[in-house]
Amino acid sequence: MRIKLWGVRGSLPSPVSPDRVRAHLDEILKQFEDLKRSNSPLTATQFLDLLPSHLTGGYGGNTACGEIITTKGRLIIDGGSGIRNLSDELMKTDPDCSDYHIYLTHFHWDHLIGLPFFMPLYMPGKAVHFYGAHEDLTEALHILFRKPNFPVPYKVISPQIHIHKIEPRKPFTIDDMTVTPFALDHPDPCWGARVESAGKSVAWCVDTEGTRTSPEELGPDLPLYQNADLMVFDAQYTFGEALEKINWGHSSGPIGIDLALREKIKQVVFMHHDPSASDEAIWDGEEQTKRYYSELLRSRERAGLDTAGVEWHFAREGEVIEL
Ligand SMILES: [Zn+2]
Ligand SMILES: [Zn+2]
C-alpha cells in the first residue's frame, strides 16, 4: 500500500510568496558563507541536506488531498486544491484509466475546491465515483458546478458522476480495499475512514479536533484507530493554540501522539497545517511535538510503563509513504 499526499494544508491554499523564497535563499547563502569560512569539508549538497526543511521547500501550500494506491486500486481522499496536481499526473501516467474513486470526508471548501480541476469529470466514457456518508452529497457537488461561481454547469459532468451514499461504520469495498467511515470530532459532521488492504491499514483522520480522548468516549468510532499501520492526523495548531481554539475542529501533534500510543498505532503523519502559519512556524510546531514526545517517553520509563514508541513526522506535500 502506498499513500501519496497531494495537499497537506488546511483551510486555504497557501503558496509561499516570492518574498519568503528570497528570504530563505538569503538565509541559505549566509549559512553557506559561514560554512566556507569555517573550512568545513561538507559539499554544497551535503550542506543542503542538513538544512531544516522550511528553508528548502517547506511543507507545501495545497489543501487536503490524499491518494491510496494498492495492488489493484486507487482511492482518492478529498478534493482540495492538491487534486489538480494529482489529476495532471493521472492524465500523464494512466490516461486509459476508466474508473476513479473519490471519498469525501466533508464539504468544507478546502476539501472540495480542487474538484472542478479534476479532468476525468469532463471526459465522456470516464466514471468518477464519489463516496460519502452525508445525506447532501449530491447537492454539495451541484454547488461547485454552478454559475456564477463556475462556468461549467453540473449537467456537463453528470454523465461521468456516480454517487455512492455510504453508511456510517459499515464497511464497503473498492477494488481490493475495504473502507469503513467513522465519525471525527469536527463542528460540521466529518467522516474519517479506515482503509484496509492486504493486511495493512490506514486511519484517515482529517479534519478532527481529537476531543474524545478515551476508548469510552470514542465508543463506536474506536476501531478507526486501533492498531492502524498509519494514521493521517490533523495538526493544524500547536498544542497551545489548540487549547485556545476549542470547537474549531482541529488538533495538534501532542494530541495525535497520545492517541497513537494508546491505540498502538505504528506510524503517524500530521497534516492540515495552518494556512496562516509560515513554514518556520510549522517547523517550530514539529520541534515542539518532538520535545513533547521525548518527555512523554521519559516519564513513562520513570513510571515503569510501556515505552514502545511510534514513528511520526509532519507531512510535506508530494511525499509518499510505503506500508
Ligand atoms: Zn479542512
Ligand atoms: Zn473541515
Side-chain angles (χ1 to χ4, degrees), residues 9-11 63-64 78 106 108-111 186 206-207 234 236 250 272:
R9 281 277 167 171
S11 308
T63 65
D78 282 337
H106 66 314
H108 286 165
W109 287 121
D110 53 321
H111 299 253
H186 206 49
V206 182
D207 302 355
D234 187 317
Q236 177 144 341
H250 300 291
H272 210 276

PDB file of all heavy atoms in Angstrom, residues 9-11 63-64 78 106 108-111 186 206-207 234 236 250 272, ligand 1:
ATOM      1  N   ARG A   9      -2.117  21.274   3.452  1.00  0.00           N
ATOM      2  CA  ARG A   9      -2.535  22.485   4.181  1.00  0.00           C
ATOM      3  C   ARG A   9      -3.985  22.363   4.580  1.00  0.00           C
ATOM      4  O   ARG A   9      -4.765  21.651   3.930  1.00  0.00           O
ATOM      5  CB  ARG A   9      -2.412  23.728   3.301  1.00  0.00           C
ATOM      6  CG  ARG A   9      -1.048  24.265   3.160  1.00  0.00           C
ATOM      7  CD  ARG A   9      -0.627  25.159   4.315  1.00  0.00           C
ATOM      8  NE  ARG A   9       0.810  25.362   4.209  1.00  0.00           N
ATOM      9  CZ  ARG A   9       1.507  26.219   4.923  1.00  0.00           C
ATOM     10  NH1 ARG A   9       0.910  26.952   5.838  1.00  0.00           N
ATOM     11  NH2 ARG A   9       2.800  26.325   4.758  1.00  0.00           N
ATOM     12  N   GLY A  10      -4.353  23.135   5.581  1.00  0.00           N
ATOM     13  CA  GLY A  10      -5.745  23.213   5.961  1.00  0.00           C
ATOM     14  C   GLY A  10      -6.350  24.533   5.536  1.00  0.00           C
ATOM     15  O   GLY A  10      -5.646  25.523   5.304  1.00  0.00           O
ATOM     16  N   SER A  11      -7.647  24.519   5.388  1.00  0.00           N
ATOM     17  CA  SER A  11      -8.494  25.715   5.316  1.00  0.00           C
ATOM     18  C   SER A  11      -8.376  26.562   4.049  1.00  0.00           C
ATOM     19  O   SER A  11      -9.389  26.993   3.504  1.00  0.00           O
ATOM     20  CB  SER A  11      -8.276  26.625   6.526  1.00  0.00           C
ATOM     21  OG  SER A  11      -8.421  25.884   7.718  1.00  0.00           O
ATOM     22  N   THR A  63      -4.343  22.376  -0.424  1.00  0.00           N
ATOM     23  CA  THR A  63      -5.212  21.826   0.629  1.00  0.00           C
ATOM     24  C   THR A  63      -5.521  20.350   0.385  1.00  0.00           C
ATOM     25  O   THR A  63      -5.230  19.780  -0.662  1.00  0.00           O
ATOM     26  CB  THR A  63      -6.515  22.622   0.770  1.00  0.00           C
ATOM     27  OG1 THR A  63      -7.285  22.488  -0.426  1.00  0.00           O
ATOM     28  CG2 THR A  63      -6.238  24.078   1.075  1.00  0.00           C
ATOM     29  N   ALA A  64      -6.214  19.778   1.368  1.00  0.00           N
ATOM     30  CA  ALA A  64      -6.307  18.342   1.592  1.00  0.00           C
ATOM     31  C   ALA A  64      -6.646  17.479   0.384  1.00  0.00           C
ATOM     32  O   ALA A  64      -7.711  17.608  -0.226  1.00  0.00           O
ATOM     33  CB  ALA A  64      -7.343  18.085   2.690  1.00  0.00           C
ATOM     34  N   ASP A  78     -10.623  13.158  -0.519  1.00  0.00           N
ATOM     35  CA  ASP A  78     -10.887  14.599  -0.562  1.00  0.00           C
ATOM     36  C   ASP A  78     -10.334  15.273  -1.825  1.00  0.00           C
ATOM     37  O   ASP A  78      -9.384  14.799  -2.457  1.00  0.00           O
ATOM     38  CB  ASP A  78     -10.374  15.296   0.707  1.00  0.00           C
ATOM     39  CG  ASP A  78     -11.332  15.079   1.880  1.00  0.00           C
ATOM     40  OD1 ASP A  78     -12.522  14.800   1.634  1.00  0.00           O
ATOM     41  OD2 ASP A  78     -10.895  15.211   3.034  1.00  0.00           O
ATOM     42  N   HIS A 106     -15.959  15.490   4.169  1.00  0.00           N
ATOM     43  CA  HIS A 106     -16.968  16.506   4.447  1.00  0.00           C
ATOM     44  C   HIS A 106     -16.839  17.589   3.380  1.00  0.00           C
ATOM     45  O   HIS A 106     -15.995  17.486   2.482  1.00  0.00           O
ATOM     46  CB  HIS A 106     -16.845  17.050   5.866  1.00  0.00           C
ATOM     47  CG  HIS A 106     -15.580  17.826   6.162  1.00  0.00           C
ATOM     48  ND1 HIS A 106     -14.322  17.389   5.802  1.00  0.00           N
ATOM     49  CD2 HIS A 106     -15.386  19.018   6.788  1.00  0.00           C
ATOM     50  CE1 HIS A 106     -13.421  18.271   6.219  1.00  0.00           C
ATOM     51  NE2 HIS A 106     -14.043  19.274   6.800  1.00  0.00           N
ATOM     52  N   HIS A 108     -16.362  21.096   3.638  1.00  0.00           N
ATOM     53  CA  HIS A 108     -15.700  22.390   3.798  1.00  0.00           C
ATOM     54  C   HIS A 108     -14.881  22.655   2.535  1.00  0.00           C
ATOM     55  O   HIS A 108     -14.341  21.733   1.915  1.00  0.00           O
ATOM     56  CB  HIS A 108     -14.824  22.391   5.050  1.00  0.00           C
ATOM     57  CG  HIS A 108     -15.637  22.464   6.323  1.00  0.00           C
ATOM     58  ND1 HIS A 108     -15.124  22.185   7.561  1.00  0.00           N
ATOM     59  CD2 HIS A 108     -16.950  22.795   6.517  1.00  0.00           C
ATOM     60  CE1 HIS A 108     -16.080  22.346   8.482  1.00  0.00           C
ATOM     61  NE2 HIS A 108     -17.191  22.709   7.870  1.00  0.00           N
ATOM     62  N   TRP A 109     -14.796  23.963   2.178  1.00  0.00           N
ATOM     63  CA  TRP A 109     -14.225  24.321   0.875  1.00  0.00           C
ATOM     64  C   TRP A 109     -12.845  23.729   0.642  1.00  0.00           C
ATOM     65  O   TRP A 109     -12.511  23.339  -0.484  1.00  0.00           O
ATOM     66  CB  TRP A 109     -14.134  25.844   0.731  1.00  0.00           C
ATOM     67  CG  TRP A 109     -15.451  26.508   0.513  1.00  0.00           C
ATOM     68  CD1 TRP A 109     -16.016  27.467   1.297  1.00  0.00           C
ATOM     69  CD2 TRP A 109     -16.380  26.295  -0.576  1.00  0.00           C
ATOM     70  NE1 TRP A 109     -17.237  27.828   0.786  1.00  0.00           N
ATOM     71  CE2 TRP A 109     -17.484  27.141  -0.358  1.00  0.00           C
ATOM     72  CE3 TRP A 109     -16.376  25.454  -1.685  1.00  0.00           C
ATOM     73  CZ2 TRP A 109     -18.571  27.185  -1.220  1.00  0.00           C
ATOM     74  CZ3 TRP A 109     -17.460  25.496  -2.544  1.00  0.00           C
ATOM     75  CH2 TRP A 109     -18.538  26.346  -2.312  1.00  0.00           C
ATOM     76  N   ASP A 110     -12.023  23.690   1.704  1.00  0.00           N
ATOM     77  CA  ASP A 110     -10.639  23.235   1.498  1.00  0.00           C
ATOM     78  C   ASP A 110     -10.554  21.765   1.099  1.00  0.00           C
ATOM     79  O   ASP A 110      -9.494  21.299   0.693  1.00  0.00           O
ATOM     80  CB  ASP A 110      -9.774  23.512   2.740  1.00  0.00           C
ATOM     81  CG  ASP A 110     -10.359  22.970   4.029  1.00  0.00           C
ATOM     82  OD1 ASP A 110     -11.585  23.048   4.204  1.00  0.00           O
ATOM     83  OD2 ASP A 110      -9.581  22.475   4.878  1.00  0.00           O
ATOM     84  N   HIS A 111     -11.705  21.048   1.181  1.00  0.00           N
ATOM     85  CA  HIS A 111     -11.716  19.629   0.778  1.00  0.00           C
ATOM     86  C   HIS A 111     -12.436  19.418  -0.553  1.00  0.00           C
ATOM     87  O   HIS A 111     -12.565  18.288  -1.023  1.00  0.00           O
ATOM     88  CB  HIS A 111     -12.356  18.782   1.886  1.00  0.00           C
ATOM     89  CG  HIS A 111     -11.583  18.869   3.168  1.00  0.00           C
ATOM     90  ND1 HIS A 111     -10.809  17.840   3.654  1.00  0.00           N
ATOM     91  CD2 HIS A 111     -11.418  19.907   4.029  1.00  0.00           C
ATOM     92  CE1 HIS A 111     -10.212  18.234   4.777  1.00  0.00           C
ATOM     93  NE2 HIS A 111     -10.572  19.486   5.022  1.00  0.00           N
ATOM     94  N   HIS A 186     -15.463  17.259  14.651  1.00  0.00           N
ATOM     95  CA  HIS A 186     -15.405  18.447  13.800  1.00  0.00           C
ATOM     96  C   HIS A 186     -16.740  19.179  13.924  1.00  0.00           C
ATOM     97  O   HIS A 186     -17.772  18.511  14.118  1.00  0.00           O
ATOM     98  CB  HIS A 186     -15.154  18.005  12.347  1.00  0.00           C
ATOM     99  CG  HIS A 186     -14.480  19.033  11.508  1.00  0.00           C
ATOM    100  ND1 HIS A 186     -13.357  19.716  11.895  1.00  0.00           N
ATOM    101  CD2 HIS A 186     -14.786  19.513  10.264  1.00  0.00           C
ATOM    102  CE1 HIS A 186     -12.990  20.550  10.932  1.00  0.00           C
ATOM    103  NE2 HIS A 186     -13.840  20.453   9.939  1.00  0.00           N
ATOM    104  N   VAL A 206      -8.703  13.429   9.207  1.00  0.00           N
ATOM    105  CA  VAL A 206      -8.595  14.849   8.881  1.00  0.00           C
ATOM    106  C   VAL A 206      -9.955  15.251   8.295  1.00  0.00           C
ATOM    107  O   VAL A 206     -10.407  14.595   7.357  1.00  0.00           O
ATOM    108  CB  VAL A 206      -7.504  15.084   7.813  1.00  0.00           C
ATOM    109  CG1 VAL A 206      -7.350  16.552   7.499  1.00  0.00           C
ATOM    110  CG2 VAL A 206      -6.164  14.483   8.254  1.00  0.00           C
ATOM    111  N   ASP A 207     -10.699  16.218   8.888  1.00  0.00           N
ATOM    112  CA  ASP A 207     -10.355  17.144   9.941  1.00  0.00           C
ATOM    113  C   ASP A 207     -10.908  16.634  11.267  1.00  0.00           C
ATOM    114  O   ASP A 207     -12.060  16.208  11.330  1.00  0.00           O
ATOM    115  CB  ASP A 207     -10.991  18.496   9.679  1.00  0.00           C
ATOM    116  CG  ASP A 207     -10.581  19.124   8.345  1.00  0.00           C
ATOM    117  OD1 ASP A 207      -9.735  18.569   7.635  1.00  0.00           O
ATOM    118  OD2 ASP A 207     -11.143  20.183   8.004  1.00  0.00           O
ATOM    119  N   ASP A 234      -4.760  15.305  12.030  1.00  0.00           N
ATOM    120  CA  ASP A 234      -4.859  16.767  11.930  1.00  0.00           C
ATOM    121  C   ASP A 234      -3.933  17.429  12.959  1.00  0.00           C
ATOM    122  O   ASP A 234      -4.042  17.168  14.149  1.00  0.00           O
ATOM    123  CB  ASP A 234      -6.334  17.114  12.218  1.00  0.00           C
ATOM    124  CG  ASP A 234      -6.682  18.569  12.007  1.00  0.00           C
ATOM    125  OD1 ASP A 234      -5.904  19.439  12.425  1.00  0.00           O
ATOM    126  OD2 ASP A 234      -7.762  18.835  11.444  1.00  0.00           O
ATOM    127  N   GLN A 236      -3.319  21.095  12.797  1.00  0.00           N
ATOM    128  CA  GLN A 236      -3.349  22.483  12.322  1.00  0.00           C
ATOM    129  C   GLN A 236      -2.659  23.422  13.307  1.00  0.00           C
ATOM    130  O   GLN A 236      -2.038  24.399  12.921  1.00  0.00           O
ATOM    131  CB  GLN A 236      -4.804  22.920  12.120  1.00  0.00           C
ATOM    132  CG  GLN A 236      -4.929  24.384  11.697  1.00  0.00           C
ATOM    133  CD  GLN A 236      -6.045  24.631  10.709  1.00  0.00           C
ATOM    134  OE1 GLN A 236      -6.519  23.717  10.054  1.00  0.00           O
ATOM    135  NE2 GLN A 236      -6.465  25.861  10.587  1.00  0.00           N
ATOM    136  N   HIS A 250      -9.941  21.360  14.952  1.00  0.00           N
ATOM    137  CA  HIS A 250      -8.609  20.905  14.539  1.00  0.00           C
ATOM    138  C   HIS A 250      -7.750  20.595  15.761  1.00  0.00           C
ATOM    139  O   HIS A 250      -8.036  21.041  16.864  1.00  0.00           O
ATOM    140  CB  HIS A 250      -7.950  21.945  13.641  1.00  0.00           C
ATOM    141  CG  HIS A 250      -8.745  22.193  12.403  1.00  0.00           C
ATOM    142  ND1 HIS A 250      -8.877  21.241  11.417  1.00  0.00           N
ATOM    143  CD2 HIS A 250      -9.514  23.243  12.037  1.00  0.00           C
ATOM    144  CE1 HIS A 250      -9.680  21.716  10.468  1.00  0.00           C
ATOM    145  NE2 HIS A 250     -10.086  22.919  10.828  1.00  0.00           N
ATOM    146  N   HIS A 272      -2.831  19.015   7.448  1.00  0.00           N
ATOM    147  CA  HIS A 272      -3.790  20.104   7.636  1.00  0.00           C
ATOM    148  C   HIS A 272      -3.120  21.268   8.368  1.00  0.00           C
ATOM    149  O   HIS A 272      -3.680  21.881   9.286  1.00  0.00           O
ATOM    150  CB  HIS A 272      -5.045  19.624   8.387  1.00  0.00           C
ATOM    151  CG  HIS A 272      -6.292  20.380   8.019  1.00  0.00           C
ATOM    152  ND1 HIS A 272      -6.635  21.573   8.603  1.00  0.00           N
ATOM    153  CD2 HIS A 272      -7.266  20.135   7.117  1.00  0.00           C
ATOM    154  CE1 HIS A 272      -7.786  22.015   8.096  1.00  0.00           C
ATOM    155  NE2 HIS A 272      -8.178  21.156   7.174  1.00  0.00           N
TER     156      HIS A 272
HETATM  157 ZN    ZN B   1     -10.111  21.153   6.347  1.00  0.00          ZN
END
